[in-house]
Each structure stands twice: as C-alpha cells, then as structure tokens.
Amino acid sequence: QVQLVESGGGLVQSGGSLRLSCAASGSDFSRNVMGWYRQAPGKDRELVATMSSGLITNYGDSVKGRFTISRDFVKNMGYLLLNSLNPEDTAVYHCYARKMGITYWGEGTLVAVSW
C-alpha cells in the first residue's frame, strides 16, 4: 500500500521558516515526480513546488524565491523549506507523487503563520 506522510508543519511567526518532510512508502518514486500543493480555507488548491527525477523544479509564482524543494532519492523522501513566511502562506500542505498515471496524496500538514 502506497503512503505519503507529511510532517514538520506548525505555527510560526511572520518572517519565520519551517521545513516540511514527506515520507513515501509502498513504492519507489525515485524515477517519478514528487511535489507539494497547498490549500487554504475557502481557496482552491495551489501548486507550491515540484521536482522531477532529473532535478527539474517548478514553483508557484507566490513562493518563488522563498521556498525550496528537495528530495532524497535513496530514502524516498521529499522536503520543502519555507522561508520568509507570511500569513498568506497559511494552509494545509500536501505532498504528492505521480507514477504510471496515478497520483498519490498525503493527508497534509498544517502551516499557520501569525503576524
């Protein structure tokens, strides 16, 4: 059974940083795309960042220059470093991985940014 489990969320003050982790199990995603989306209350799901197996990255416009995606292909892990956080970054952050036409999602981890 494939599972993606996020961790590292929490409450942080504006200007602060967090590091999210995504642990994948049940399948090897080292040759596939992994990434992050987020969803704030009352808003549509928003792309945060993705990284291919060839280390090609893509970021949402609202996080470019502040967030950094990385992966550990040996450990089957994904990471998201969030810097210069502001209250508009408050959301549930979901990890995903796509393989053979199937997208797998984690339950998400909450990031809350206060003034």
Side-chain angles (χ1 to χ4, degrees):
Q1 182 181 357
V2 175
Q3 281 191 313
L4 299 175
V5 180
E6 303 92 337
S7 61
L11 176 63
V12 63
Q13 288 188 330
S14 186
S17 299
L18 284 174
R19 187 187 189 224
L20 307 184
S21 299
C22 174
S25 61
S27 183
D28 178 10
F29 292 105
S30 61
R31 298 183 180 184
N32 308 103
V33 172
M34 288 185 72
W36 298 83
Y37 275 78
R38 68 185 182 185
Q39 188 159 22
K43 294 186 177 181
D44 293 334
R45 188 175 60 186
E46 178 187 14
L47 169 70
V48 178
T50 66
M51 177 179 278
S52 71
S53 58
L55 304 180
I56 296 173
T57 58
N58 183 38
Y59 291 93
D61 289 341
S62 61
V63 307
K64 284 179 181 177
R66 299 188 299 123
F67 292 6
T68 304
I69 188 171
S70 61
R71 294 175 62 177
D72 185 324
F73 293 99
V74 174
K75 295 182 178 179
N76 216 18
M77 295 280 297
Y79 304 96
L80 186 68
L81 178 61
L82 293 69
N83 290 324
S84 302
L85 284 162
N86 61 67
E88 293 182 351
D89 295 316
T90 295
V92 176
Y93 286 70
H94 296 273
C95 170
Y96 83 96
R98 189 175 296 127
K99 184 174 186 178
M100 297 181 67
I102 299 173
T103 302
Y104 301 92
W105 292 93
E107 293 291 323
T109 185
L110 175 64
V111 173
V113 185
S114 63
W115 287 106

